[in-house]
Amino acid sequence: MRRDDDVEREIDAHLEQEIEERQADGASAAAARTAALRALGNPVRIREDVRDLSSWAWIERLAQDIRYGLRVFRRSPVFAFTAVASLALGIGANTAIFGVMDAAVLQPLPVARPHELVVLWKTFQPAGAFAYDSTRFSYPDYRLLRDASHTVELMAASSIRPVSIDHEEVTEPAFAKVVSTNYFAGLGVAPALGRVFSADDEGASVAILGHHYWTRRFGSDREVLGRTIRLDGVPFTIVGVARKDFSGESPGERPGVYTSTALMAPAQLEERGFTWLTLMGRLREDATAQQAATELGAAFANVPRPDAVEPGRPPIALEPGAHGLSRFRERFADPLQVLMAGVALVLVMACANLATLLLSRGATRRHEIATRLAIGARPARIVRQLLTESLLLAVAGGAAGLVLGVWGARFLVGLVAAGQPGVSLDLGPDARLLAFTASVSALAGVLFGLAPAVRLVRSHAAVLGAAEGRVIGATAHTRMRSGLIGVQAALAVVLLAAGLLFGRTLWNLGNQDLGLSLDAQVLQVTLLRERGYRPEAGVVLPRLLQRLEAIPGVASATAVADGTLSSGGSGVYGLEFPGSARLDPDEARSRADWVGPNYFRTVGIPLLSGRDLSLADTGDVPRVAIVNEAFARRYFGTAAAAGRGFTWNNRSHEIVGIAKDAKYGDLRGAAEPRIYFSLLQFGPPQRLEIRTSGVDPGTITGAVRVAVREIDPRQSVGEVTTMGERLGQALARERLLADLSSFFGVVTVLLVAVGVYGTVAFSAATRSREIGLRLALGASRRVVIWSVLRELSAPIAIGLALGLAAVVAGGRVVTALLFGLGPTDAGVLAGAALGLLAVAFAAGLVPAVRASRLDPARVLRD
Amino acid sequence: MGQSERTQLLQGTLDMLVLRTLLFGPAHGRAIARHIQQTTEDVLQVEHGSLYPALHRLERRGWIGGKWEARDRNRELKYYRLTAAGRKHLAREASKWHRFITAVGRVMTPVKGGLV
């Protein structure tokens, strides 16, 4: 017999007995029954209590609650849709940012025991330049350190480089990473197919495919092992496929193929000055990082090298390497953290908004809840039912948010990667992401559901107790809704201020006077040279430039060693000035680049005096240079320095011109002293820079390729971008912050508008009798509008004040990400406050005006 | 949470009283309630709302056994009887209870001339 039936039968028997006895005492049948029931209490509740003893009862109850909740949502689809959509937005934004952050910043490399890994840094000092720290080593140095080390096993890897892959008559570009033969084994990464490199592969032309490339290009063909592909024309044998979750030691890169050092020219492998490898090591169990650094440093210093640092400074340092070494991370870790905080606020905002919605719904469910309480449901049981409904919403919102978030993370990486070759992250939703989304959703469900549910049930308990309960309940609701509106106003003002701060930063950076014209008319062309080929300075370049300038639509062409906006440029030190006292070599420093003829005309940096460099500035005597204003001011105390000179690296240079200060590499810093040496007196160019006029620059790239091949078949054209695009790349970080934070700012302000609208409309509806009475007694419509609006003015003002205070208190943390304004910029704070007030006022005005148009006669009659 | 603490406190006492009542022999729910009420001269009112859940709880733990029997005027009633385990449990609970009231009693009515 089922326990339920058992109890029911027992209770029935009890009642029968009781009734019989009371009748025997002389009571009427009806009176006896009433008295017996009263003595027993609520039979439904007794049955429920007995049923609750069962350990499965909670599942039954949960299923019941879920069924009930689904029915509730089917009856109010608009509410359900709004709630799920705003949750999906909040959860999706969190999932997206977390996904990128987890892949690039948080997760250790997917290798064995990542915490044993270290990354090697070296300190070096090029002739006449300052000391630098770098993670780039040459192949001879890798071999030297590897063989000398007893404390650490060293692995080497290049950064990814574009190569062309020929396979079955199809040539396409891809990214290759050159690694040492112990790279996979040392990191503890097993192959998905075939084998990894071993010591026997030293010098062999072998390749391992990246998993995603294998899937995309080879259709996951398992027969791929042993086949030959040509990388930049050199045949390689495929020996394996890398594991699916592994994409190198540098998050943000995803190599299509890993190769042995056979991809490099033999000369490049012998050249100690050619630094292109990142060294990672696995510390042996009994060794400390300090021991390893000492040991490696001694071996490193043992070899005479031109760029050795002064004795006494440790040449090698070890950093923890569990997360690898990632340029992507260095650049985007800070913005991602700011965005993560931002999206957390967006989610809290969405929760506050939903709580408001649920409270309004509570008003319409008053009758249902009161009835359920009246027939014996415990308040806790109803709170649980309401919470189940919230969690159902949260689950639906979380599922939609997960889809949105995975898509959003891809979109985000696309946004960042625009124009930056090779930036790619493995964003496949994994268990961590699922766990994150699930816990965020659950948290959100409790956050927005609990308070309204408790409030509702409590106010209805009051309804049952007090005749005037309706009024008590209503004021409690109103107070809570006001509080929620205040919270929303505070959050919206913070996010709006963030949007304005980052938007202004982007604008300031993009619209500052850079001192040069970086427009879409200037092309930057990376030159590729055959392996080991290094043409002598001034031999090929003049002919190439003349040939380029003959192309129709080319206004002027020049060449550079580093390239405008490509980096901060090199630095030189130890400058000497004839006729002045000798300066401390460390103090006599300047930034420098080596540029070709007509450089200043081409990139649009105005010359204040003197002349541009020309084809004649070749050969050794006299060496010429152009310096910028900052250089002239610093070393000559005047902007008129043309005709004077300096000595660097034991060679005297004549200053033939003074250029206006320009933001050359770093868009944020103030102009530093800079020397432009003549490239024709130095070496071959890395890049060409070409100003076009009257044509779409895209139309001449073909002609440029032809010209380069014609003049020097051993060189070819690599990447081609316009300077406008390069500027865009330089601002990728700022654009990311500006776009997303303004988007979140706008979304939250819209949510505030929805909240204010709903609250004012609700309050106007509950006060319709009072309003009708006031209108009937002659109150003006303006007075009525104001009386309705006034209710929310206090919470919004308080929220606004708190939000602004939070910006002032917490703004510091983003100072480094701003440009041209501080985190407490008065304009931004005022703009955010006014923006919020305007939107909130407009959103409140609509229902308030509608309330003032009530027909008093009708309201009072109803 | 406060509410559940209070129920548990009552529960323990009610359980013991039910078990003690059944020491006299099998009885149905209403008889148990009435016995407790009469013995305590109506000081303790047994809420039926908590009696039936208590009976089912005790049955589930194996301290009492319930059986539908028609003893009285052909009406089937569920009669509960003490099991061996229930007897043992009652003995433990009773001695705990006596220790408790003796201790409380010493505080509430100190012996004359005592030190404390």
Side-chain angles (χ1 to χ4, degrees):
Chain A
M1 193 192 303
R2 277 199 47 200
R3 185 165 294 274
D4 238 12
D5 302 335
D6 197 36
V7 180
E8 194 158 356
R9 207 173 138 204
E10 209 174 353
I11 291 173
D12 284 348
H14 177 109
L15 279 175
E16 262 175 61
Q17 256 185 312
E18 187 101 23
I19 291 166
E20 272 171 31
E21 260 170 50
R22 282 175 200 268
Q23 271 179 312
D25 285 350
S28 72
R33 182 162 188 85
T34 314
L37 271 170
R38 189 173 295 142
L40 180 72
N42 186 339
V44 180
R45 186 178 282 186
I46 295 177
R47 241 183 5 240
E48 285 260 315
D49 283 348
V50 173
R51 193 192 297 150
D52 283 359
L53 292 172
S54 155
S55 42
W56 294 106
W58 68 272
I59 291 193
E60 273 177 41
R61 265 200 321 262
L62 185 68
Q64 195 186 3
D65 285 353
I66 290 177
R67 273 198 308 274
Y68 189 84
L70 289 176
R71 217 158 51 218
V72 167
F73 293 141
R74 260 204 305 278
R75 274 206 308 264
S76 42
V78 175
F79 164 76
F81 176 79
T82 317
V84 170
S86 72
L87 266 181
L89 186 75
I91 294 173
N94 276 272
T95 302
I97 306 278
F98 177 80
V100 176
M101 184 133 156
D102 194 41
V105 182
L106 298 178
Q107 282 215 56
L109 295 174
V111 303
R113 304 181 307 283
H115 294 281
E116 291 173 7
L117 294 179
V118 289
V119 172
L120 264 64
W121 286 78
K122 70 170 180 182
T123 306
F124 74 111
Q125 206 160 17
F130 336 130
Y132 288 103
D133 289 332
S134 162
T135 53
R136 297 279 166 206
F137 291 83
S138 67
Y139 191 65
D141 281 338
Y142 162 61
R143 269 192 316 224
L144 168 83
L145 293 172
R146 180 192 64 191
D147 296 342
S149 171
H150 302 289
T151 49
V152 66
E153 184 191 0
L154 282 189
M155 294 146 275
S158 72
S159 55
I160 55 169
R161 49 183 56 208
V163 291
S164 66
I165 299 191
D166 306 345
H167 178 64
E168 289 172 350
E169 328 262 281
V170 182
T171 304
E172 65 168 22
F175 289 95
K177 183 188 267 297
V178 177
V179 300
S180 57
T181 51
N182 64 353
Y183 176 78
F184 286 96
L187 289 175
V189 175
L193 191 67
R195 62 177 180 86
V196 295
F197 298 140
S198 72
D200 299 339
D201 291 319
E202 199 73 61
S205 294
V206 285
I208 289 175
L209 296 177
H211 195 279
H212 72 285
Y213 188 72
W214 174 59
T215 311
R216 188 175 65 72
R217 177 76 203 275
F218 293 89
S220 303
D221 183 2
R222 303 184 72 84
E223 303 296 313
V224 78
L225 297 180
R227 282 201 207 148
T228 299
I229 48 171
R230 299 177 86 85
L231 303 178
D232 280 351
V234 182
F236 279 81
T237 307
I238 298 173
V239 299
V241 174
R243 213 175 59 199
K244 186 165 189 238
D245 61 348
F246 181 76
S247 44
E249 81 298 337
S250 178
E253 292 181 352
R254 269 216 281 186
V257 58
Y258 306 82
T259 75
S260 59
T261 50
L263 189 64
M264 311 299 287
Q268 288 177 316
L269 296 179
E270 296 309 319
E271 168 68 53
R272 202 173 281 279
F274 180 54
T275 56
W276 56 289
L277 288 167
T278 301
L279 301 192
M280 295 199 75
R282 189 181 283 287
L283 274 181
R284 300 215 197 282
E285 265 171 31
D286 48 353
T288 65
Q290 190 51 48
Q291 285 171 340
T294 312
E295 181 192 59
L296 294 172
F300 193 72
N302 222 2
V303 174
R305 54 186 76 239
D307 57 358
V309 286
E310 57 208 72
R313 258 179 102 166
I316 298 284
L318 299 186
E319 298 277 332
H323 296 266
L325 191 72
S326 165
R327 268 176 53 83
F328 180 86
R329 182 172 57 233
E330 278 166 27
R331 217 163 152 223
F332 288 101
D334 284 353
L336 281 172
Q337 271 163 21
V338 170
L339 287 175
M340 195 76 228
V343 293
L345 293 186
V346 171
L347 184 62
V348 173
M349 177 81 195
C351 288
N353 204 260
L354 258 182
T356 327
L357 269 177
L358 284 174
L359 272 181
S360 309
R361 270 177 62 72
T364 62
R365 289 179 72 176
R366 184 182 300 258
H367 184 70
E368 169 207 334
I369 291 171
T371 309
R372 295 179 66 192
L373 281 168
I375 61 173
R378 288 170 193 280
R381 182 77 176 75
I382 293 185
V383 168
R384 201 163 53 205
Q385 162 64 37
L386 293 174
L387 259 187
T388 307
E389 286 172 25
S390 307
L391 288 175
L392 270 181
L393 287 179
V395 167
L402 184 68
V403 174
L404 214 64
V406 168
W407 176 83
R410 301 227 164 95
F411 174 74
L412 212 67
V413 172
L415 208 66
V416 168
Q420 304 193 77
V423 170
S424 170
L425 273 175
D426 181 11
L427 292 167
D430 57 0
R432 278 167 68 104
L433 196 68
L434 289 176
F436 173 83
T437 310
S439 29
V440 165
S441 310
L443 192 71
V446 173
L447 202 63
F448 71 74
L450 190 57
V454 170
R455 161 64 58 214
L456 268 180
V457 170
R458 217 180 265 160
S459 72
H460 287 298
V463 172
L464 291 178
E468 293 300 305
R470 222 181 92 79
V471 182
I472 295 170
T475 41
H477 280 199
T478 310
R479 209 176 307 131
M480 188 163 190
R481 292 164 63 106
S482 301
L484 286 169
I485 291 287
V487 169
Q488 294 180 44
L491 291 170
V493 118
V494 170
L495 287 163
L496 206 54
L500 286 173
L501 283 173
F502 293 124
R504 284 270 309 272
T505 294
L506 179 65
W507 198 90
N508 287 349
L509 279 170
N511 291 278
Q512 62 180 326
D513 179 16
L514 295 168
L516 69 173
S517 64
L518 293 174
D519 49 39
Q521 291 299 310
V522 182
L523 282 177
Q524 192 176 60
V525 177
T526 306
L527 282 179
L528 304 175
R529 286 195 297 275
E530 249 177 46
R531 283 176 289 178
Y533 171 59
R534 189 179 160 90
E536 237 172 82
V539 175
V540 185
L541 189 57
R543 279 197 296 136
L544 179 57
L545 293 182
Q546 276 167 346
R547 174 72 181 76
L548 288 173
E549 286 187 348
I551 296 172
V554 170
S556 68
T558 187
V560 281
D562 281 338
T564 312
L565 278 184
S566 66
S567 69
S570 309
V572 296
Y573 87 121
L575 301 170
E576 290 170 35
F577 297 93
S580 343
R582 208 184 140 83
L583 296 164
D584 176 354
D586 258 350
E587 290 298 309
R589 59 167 74 193
S590 172
R591 298 251 149 222
D593 198 358
W594 286 261
V595 302
N598 294 327
Y599 174 76
F600 294 89
R601 184 147 67 88
T602 308
V603 299
I605 300 178
L607 285 171
L608 297 176
S609 63
R611 62 169 176 87
D612 207 336
L613 293 171
S614 78
L615 286 170
D617 294 318
T618 182
D620 249 1
V621 183
R623 290 221 165 191
V624 297
I626 288 174
V627 298
N628 68 354
E629 289 170 275
F631 186 97
R633 265 198 309 276
R634 171 135 169 214
Y635 294 111
F636 303 111
T638 155
R644 304 179 70 162
F646 62 88
T647 302
W648 175 67
N649 228 6
N650 297 321
R651 292 175 189 275
S652 66
H653 291 75
E654 188 193 328
I655 297 173
V656 297
I658 307 291
K660 197 165 176 305
D661 284 340
K663 298 278 173 107
Y664 191 82
D666 179 9
L667 295 177
R668 288 169 173 269
E672 290 177 281
R674 176 176 291 277
I675 304 172
Y676 303 91
F677 292 103
S678 171
L679 181 65
L680 291 176
Q681 294 173 328
F682 173 75
Q686 298 292 332
R687 296 192 170 84
L688 301 172
E689 290 180 357
I690 300 168
R691 176 175 289 276
T692 62
S693 74
V695 296
D696 174 2
T699 60
I700 66 156
T701 54
V704 170
R705 276 176 210 280
V706 171
V708 169
R709 202 163 47 226
E710 201 179 285
I711 298 294
D712 187 355
R714 305 182 74 180
Q715 299 198 47
S716 59
V717 167
E719 193 194 348
V720 179
T721 56
T722 70
M723 288 311 245
E725 287 166 358
R726 285 212 72 92
L727 186 65
Q729 286 168 23
L731 292 173
R733 201 168 87 138
E734 284 72 20
R735 174 153 297 123
L736 177 77
L737 274 175
D739 286 359
L740 291 185
S741 59
S742 338
F743 174 68
F744 295 144
V746 169
V747 166
T748 47
V749 170
L750 287 180
L751 286 175
V752 168
V754 171
V756 168
Y757 178 93
T759 305
V760 171
F762 177 74
S763 129
T766 51
R767 287 174 53 191
S768 57
R769 286 180 70 83
E770 175 212 325
I771 292 171
L773 199 60
R774 282 174 163 223
L775 286 171
L777 291 176
S780 76
R781 274 175 45 193
R782 231 185 35 219
V783 168
V784 168
I785 291 174
W786 176 237
S787 84
V788 173
L789 281 181
R790 203 175 43 202
E791 276 178 37
L792 280 185
S793 58
I796 288 182
I798 293 171
L800 192 68
L802 287 178
L804 290 178
V807 173
V808 170
R812 266 173 308 113
V813 299
V814 298
T815 307
L817 293 169
L818 300 178
F819 179 78
L821 76 174
T824 54
D825 185 82
V828 164
L829 294 184
L834 285 178
L836 177 74
L837 283 178
V839 171
F841 182 72
L845 202 56
V846 176
V849 167
R850 198 185 303 136
S852 76
R853 292 211 175 115
L854 283 174
D855 178 358
R858 245 175 76 190
V859 174
L860 293 176
R861 212 179 311 123
D862 283 347
Chain B
M1 292 302 119
Q3 193 185 357
S4 74
E5 265 170 23
R6 202 171 62 221
T7 353
Q8 265 173 13
L9 198 71
L10 288 173
Q11 231 172 52
T13 326
L14 180 60
D15 288 1
M16 185 175 69
L17 295 179
V18 169
L19 292 175
R20 183 70 183 77
T21 305
L22 290 178
L23 206 53
F24 299 117
H28 55 77
R30 199 157 157 274
I32 297 171
R34 182 176 295 167
H35 178 261
I36 295 175
Q37 223 157 300
Q38 285 171 351
T39 317
T40 63
E41 290 167 350
D42 284 346
V43 173
L44 295 182
Q45 295 273 345
V46 178
E47 289 272 347
H48 295 113
S50 40
L51 175 70
Y52 285 101
L55 287 171
H56 282 263
R57 190 169 51 243
L58 292 171
E59 189 181 8
R60 191 178 288 267
R61 296 204 177 140
W63 290 330
I64 60 178
K67 208 169 158 196
W68 288 90
E69 290 171 42
R71 296 192 175 195
D72 164 38
R73 278 183 289 167
N74 295 332
R75 177 184 285 127
E76 270 215 321
L77 290 173
K78 195 173 179 189
Y79 282 83
Y80 293 94
R81 66 194 69 231
L82 210 51
T83 64
R87 219 172 276 273
K88 264 185 220 154
H89 181 70
L90 175 62
R92 272 198 307 274
E93 287 297 300
S95 85
K96 252 202 271 181
W97 174 253
H98 284 298
R99 275 206 307 280
F100 177 71
I101 53 167
T102 318
V104 173
R106 280 192 187 135
V107 175
M108 299 311 285
T109 49
V111 181
K112 244 189 196 159
L115 278 173
V116 180

Short mmCIF file of all heavy atoms in Angstrom, two decimals, chain A residues 4 17 37 109 120 163 168 184 211 247 303 310 364 380 411 419 555 557 559 573 575 660 778 830:
data_model
loop_
_atom_site.label_atom_id
_atom_site.label_comp_id
_atom_site.label_asym_id
_atom_site.label_seq_id
_atom_site.Cartn_x
_atom_site.Cartn_y
_atom_site.Cartn_z
N ASP A 4 1.00 7.28 1.02
CA ASP A 4 0.03 8.35 0.91
C ASP A 4 -1.37 7.85 1.28
O ASP A 4 -2.06 8.46 2.09
CB ASP A 4 0.02 8.84 -0.54
CG ASP A 4 0.34 10.31 -0.60
OD1 ASP A 4 0.79 10.85 0.44
OD2 ASP A 4 0.14 10.90 -1.66
N GLN A 17 -13.90 8.30 13.94
CA GLN A 17 -13.97 8.00 15.37
C GLN A 17 -14.36 9.23 16.16
O GLN A 17 -15.25 9.20 17.00
CB GLN A 17 -12.57 7.58 15.83
CG GLN A 17 -12.42 6.09 16.04
CD GLN A 17 -11.05 5.81 16.60
OE1 GLN A 17 -10.06 6.32 16.08
NE2 GLN A 17 -10.97 5.03 17.65
N LEU A 37 -12.73 18.26 12.61
CA LEU A 37 -11.76 18.80 11.65
C LEU A 37 -10.87 19.84 12.32
O LEU A 37 -9.66 19.89 12.10
CB LEU A 37 -12.48 19.42 10.46
CG LEU A 37 -12.79 18.45 9.31
CD1 LEU A 37 -13.71 19.11 8.30
CD2 LEU A 37 -11.49 18.01 8.65
N LEU A 109 49.16 26.10 -19.71
CA LEU A 109 49.31 25.39 -20.98
C LEU A 109 48.81 23.95 -20.80
O LEU A 109 49.02 23.35 -19.74
CB LEU A 109 50.78 25.36 -21.40
CG LEU A 109 51.42 26.69 -21.72
CD1 LEU A 109 52.91 26.50 -21.98
CD2 LEU A 109 50.76 27.33 -22.93
N LEU A 120 62.95 31.53 -20.38
CA LEU A 120 64.26 32.18 -20.24
C LEU A 120 64.24 33.61 -20.77
O LEU A 120 63.69 33.87 -21.84
CB LEU A 120 65.34 31.39 -21.01
CG LEU A 120 66.13 30.39 -20.17
CD1 LEU A 120 65.22 29.30 -19.65
CD2 LEU A 120 67.27 29.80 -20.98
N VAL A 163 54.07 30.94 -43.88
CA VAL A 163 54.74 30.16 -44.92
C VAL A 163 53.69 29.82 -45.97
O VAL A 163 52.49 29.94 -45.72
CB VAL A 163 55.32 28.83 -44.39
CG1 VAL A 163 56.48 29.07 -43.47
CG2 VAL A 163 54.25 28.00 -43.71
N GLU A 168 49.22 18.75 -52.94
CA GLU A 168 48.36 18.34 -54.04
C GLU A 168 48.03 19.52 -54.93
O GLU A 168 46.87 19.85 -55.16
CB GLU A 168 47.09 17.69 -53.49
CG GLU A 168 47.36 16.32 -52.89
CD GLU A 168 46.16 15.76 -52.16
OE1 GLU A 168 45.20 16.51 -51.96
OE2 GLU A 168 46.22 14.58 -51.80
N PHE A 184 57.96 18.64 -28.13
CA PHE A 184 56.72 17.95 -27.72
C PHE A 184 56.99 17.01 -26.54
O PHE A 184 56.24 17.01 -25.56
CB PHE A 184 56.15 17.14 -28.89
CG PHE A 184 55.50 18.00 -29.93
CD1 PHE A 184 56.20 18.40 -31.05
CD2 PHE A 184 54.19 18.43 -29.77
CE1 PHE A 184 55.59 19.21 -32.01
CE2 PHE A 184 53.59 19.24 -30.72
CZ PHE A 184 54.30 19.63 -31.84
N HIS A 211 46.27 20.36 -35.06
CA HIS A 211 45.05 19.56 -35.18
C HIS A 211 43.99 20.26 -36.02
O HIS A 211 43.36 19.66 -36.89
CB HIS A 211 44.51 19.25 -33.78
CG HIS A 211 43.50 18.15 -33.77
ND1 HIS A 211 42.18 18.36 -34.10
CD2 HIS A 211 43.61 16.84 -33.51
CE1 HIS A 211 41.53 17.22 -34.03
NE2 HIS A 211 42.37 16.28 -33.67
N SER A 247 48.03 24.02 -28.82
CA SER A 247 48.36 24.89 -29.96
C SER A 247 49.59 25.73 -29.64
O SER A 247 49.59 26.93 -29.78
CB SER A 247 47.18 25.75 -30.35
OG SER A 247 46.56 26.29 -29.22
N VAL A 303 80.72 32.51 -23.54
CA VAL A 303 80.99 32.71 -24.96
C VAL A 303 81.13 34.21 -25.21
O VAL A 303 80.27 34.97 -24.79
CB VAL A 303 79.82 32.15 -25.80
CG1 VAL A 303 80.01 32.49 -27.27
CG2 VAL A 303 79.70 30.67 -25.58
N GLU A 310 77.34 44.40 -19.29
CA GLU A 310 78.50 44.62 -18.45
C GLU A 310 78.57 43.55 -17.36
O GLU A 310 77.54 43.08 -16.88
CB GLU A 310 78.42 45.99 -17.81
CG GLU A 310 77.14 46.16 -17.01
CD GLU A 310 76.70 47.61 -16.95
OE1 GLU A 310 76.23 48.14 -17.98
OE2 GLU A 310 76.84 48.19 -15.88
N THR A 364 0.47 40.70 -9.88
CA THR A 364 -0.61 40.04 -10.61
C THR A 364 -0.84 38.63 -10.09
O THR A 364 -1.87 38.04 -10.35
CB THR A 364 -0.29 39.97 -12.12
OG1 THR A 364 0.90 39.20 -12.28
CG2 THR A 364 -0.08 41.34 -12.70
N ALA A 380 7.39 28.70 3.12
CA ALA A 380 8.68 28.23 2.59
C ALA A 380 8.47 27.46 1.30
O ALA A 380 9.26 27.55 0.37
CB ALA A 380 9.37 27.35 3.62
N PHE A 411 33.70 36.29 -31.82
CA PHE A 411 33.57 37.63 -32.35
C PHE A 411 34.64 38.54 -31.74
O PHE A 411 35.29 39.32 -32.42
CB PHE A 411 32.17 38.16 -32.04
CG PHE A 411 31.95 39.59 -32.41
CD1 PHE A 411 31.79 39.96 -33.74
CD2 PHE A 411 31.92 40.57 -31.43
CE1 PHE A 411 31.59 41.27 -34.08
CE2 PHE A 411 31.72 41.90 -31.77
CZ PHE A 411 31.56 42.26 -33.11
N GLY A 419 43.32 42.26 -38.86
CA GLY A 419 44.53 42.83 -39.43
C GLY A 419 45.80 42.36 -38.76
O GLY A 419 46.89 42.74 -39.17
N ALA A 555 53.12 58.36 -55.62
CA ALA A 555 53.62 59.72 -55.49
C ALA A 555 55.08 59.68 -55.05
O ALA A 555 55.91 60.41 -55.57
CB ALA A 555 52.78 60.49 -54.49
N ALA A 557 58.14 56.84 -52.98
CA ALA A 557 58.39 55.55 -52.35
C ALA A 557 59.66 55.64 -51.54
O ALA A 557 60.61 56.32 -51.92
CB ALA A 557 58.52 54.45 -53.41
N ALA A 559 62.00 53.45 -48.08
CA ALA A 559 62.20 52.17 -47.39
C ALA A 559 62.64 52.45 -45.96
O ALA A 559 63.15 53.52 -45.66
CB ALA A 559 63.27 51.35 -48.11
N TYR A 573 72.71 54.71 -27.79
CA TYR A 573 73.21 55.49 -26.68
C TYR A 573 74.69 55.77 -26.91
O TYR A 573 75.27 55.34 -27.91
CB TYR A 573 72.96 54.79 -25.33
CG TYR A 573 74.03 53.82 -24.92
CD1 TYR A 573 74.72 53.99 -23.70
CD2 TYR A 573 74.38 52.74 -25.74
CE1 TYR A 573 75.70 53.09 -23.33
CE2 TYR A 573 75.36 51.86 -25.36
CZ TYR A 573 76.02 52.04 -24.15
OH TYR A 573 77.00 51.17 -23.79
N LEU A 575 76.01 58.79 -27.45
CA LEU A 575 76.20 59.86 -28.44
C LEU A 575 77.20 60.87 -27.91
O LEU A 575 77.22 61.17 -26.72
CB LEU A 575 74.86 60.55 -28.71
CG LEU A 575 73.74 59.64 -29.23
CD1 LEU A 575 72.42 60.40 -29.22
CD2 LEU A 575 74.06 59.16 -30.64
N LYS A 660 59.77 67.60 -37.57
CA LYS A 660 58.78 67.85 -36.52
C LYS A 660 58.65 66.58 -35.68
O LYS A 660 58.78 65.46 -36.19
CB LYS A 660 57.44 68.16 -37.19
CG LYS A 660 56.44 68.83 -36.30
CD LYS A 660 55.33 69.41 -37.19
CE LYS A 660 54.20 70.04 -36.41
NZ LYS A 660 53.55 69.23 -35.44
N GLY A 778 -9.29 69.32 -8.99
CA GLY A 778 -8.74 70.48 -9.69
C GLY A 778 -7.24 70.55 -9.75
O GLY A 778 -6.68 71.58 -10.10
N ALA A 830 29.96 64.11 -15.67
CA ALA A 830 28.75 64.89 -15.93
C ALA A 830 27.96 64.25 -17.07
O ALA A 830 26.73 64.13 -17.01
CB ALA A 830 29.13 66.33 -16.27
#
